Amino acid sequence: MGMQTDAHIVWDWNGTLFHDVDAVIGATNAAFAELGLEPITLERYRELYCVPVPKFYERLLGRLPSDAEWEVMDATFHRYYTEHRALCSLAEGVEELLTGWASAGRSQSILSMYGHDDLVPLVRDFGIEPHFIRVDGRTGPSGGSKAEHMVRHLDALRSVDPARTVVIGDAADDALAAQAVGARAVLYTGGSHGRASLEAVGVPVVDTLAEAVAEAERLAA
């Protein structure tokens, strides 16, 4: 298959297509409780959150967590999150946006730092899997950057031109991952980061996914 000439979106999942911020905050506070930390608010989370995740914990602890502390917090986070994600739904307007992008003859995929074996059935259960030419979740340990995963994701999409690819996500790390493959990025304020920290990255920042898709179309033109 040759290189396609139309635009491609690489969507983030958690905090972008999947509006799971309440489950994430609850899971974060469950993890904090393991170390005797006070609960964190959504506003404070968005102010301090960063990748790799142990650095986020360092901002709150004043030091990096030990390996043993990290293992306990990470396990607690994922256990709580798995129990509560069933209460979460797709972000507003997602199905219409995915349908509209695909019906215009453009392609799209998902790359998430959520575990691959958990991600794929979740996307399938929402009935949106057919919109994507590839769905990749994280393989290997959690807590790292998306950049190396993005390189593998784009390598697997041999028909997609990185120069006409736009990454849509809710974290500064999504923009860094896009930069690693020569793609563009649009960052969305509905997830893990506040507007101020997203704007510091130097890419377009939007408040709705409809705006993100419109910006992606402009960037990939």
Side-chain angles (χ1 to χ4, degrees):
M1 184 184 297
M3 184 76 72
Q4 73 169 33
T5 58
D6 222 331
H8 179 83
I9 290 175
V10 178
W11 291 96
D12 175 54
W13 178 250
N14 303 94
T16 305
L17 291 176
F18 189 43
H19 186 65
D20 61 349
V21 66
D22 290 337
V24 168
I25 295 300
T28 299
N29 284 330
F32 285 175
E34 293 289 339
L35 268 65
L37 295 173
E38 291 296 315
I40 192 171
T41 64
L42 173 59
E43 291 71 26
R44 184 72 170 154
Y45 179 92
R46 285 175 166 166
E47 177 186 345
L48 295 177
Y49 181 75
C50 64
V51 173
V53 177
K55 293 290 289 182
F56 168 53
Y57 290 146
E58 181 182 26
R59 292 180 174 185
L60 293 155
L61 286 169
R63 60 175 176 81
L64 279 170
S66 68
D67 290 345
E69 288 172 332
W70 165 249
E71 288 180 12
V72 169
M73 295 176 78
D74 190 49
T76 301
F77 178 96
H78 286 99
R79 183 172 61 251
Y80 181 102
Y81 179 84
T82 299
E83 292 171 357
H84 289 79
R85 73 182 187 193
L87 301 175
C88 302
S89 60
L90 296 176
E92 183 178 357
V94 161
E95 294 178 71
E96 293 81 359
L97 291 169
L98 297 178
T99 299
W101 185 263
S103 64
R106 307 180 182 110
S107 61
Q108 51 201 328
S109 60
I110 293 176
L111 175 62
S112 173
M113 294 300 283
Y114 193 40
H116 183 78
D117 291 342
D118 293 313
L119 172 69
V120 172
L122 188 55
V123 173
R124 188 171 296 147
D125 286 347
F126 277 112
I128 59 173
E129 187 182 24
H131 291 298
F132 306 106
I133 61 174
R134 189 174 182 90
V135 176
D136 283 335
R138 172 186 48 78
T139 56
S142 62
S145 173
K146 185 179 271 189
E148 63 185 87
H149 298 271
M150 186 67 75
V151 171
R152 289 196 296 269
H153 185 71
L154 264 291
D155 281 347
L157 296 175
R158 297 186 182 278
S159 64
V160 170
D161 181 0
R164 300 212 62 207
T165 295
V166 179
V167 176
I168 297 179
D170 68 316
D173 191 52
D174 290 301
L176 297 177
Q179 185 179 31
V181 294
R184 312 291 286 277
V186 179
L187 299 180
Y188 164 61
T189 63
S192 61
H193 282 38
R195 174 173 279 276
S197 59
L198 293 179
E199 287 180 338
V201 180
V203 302
V205 176
V206 298
D207 296 319
T208 70
L209 292 182
E211 292 175 283
V213 170
E215 190 66 20
E217 187 171 8
R218 183 188 69 80
L219 289 173

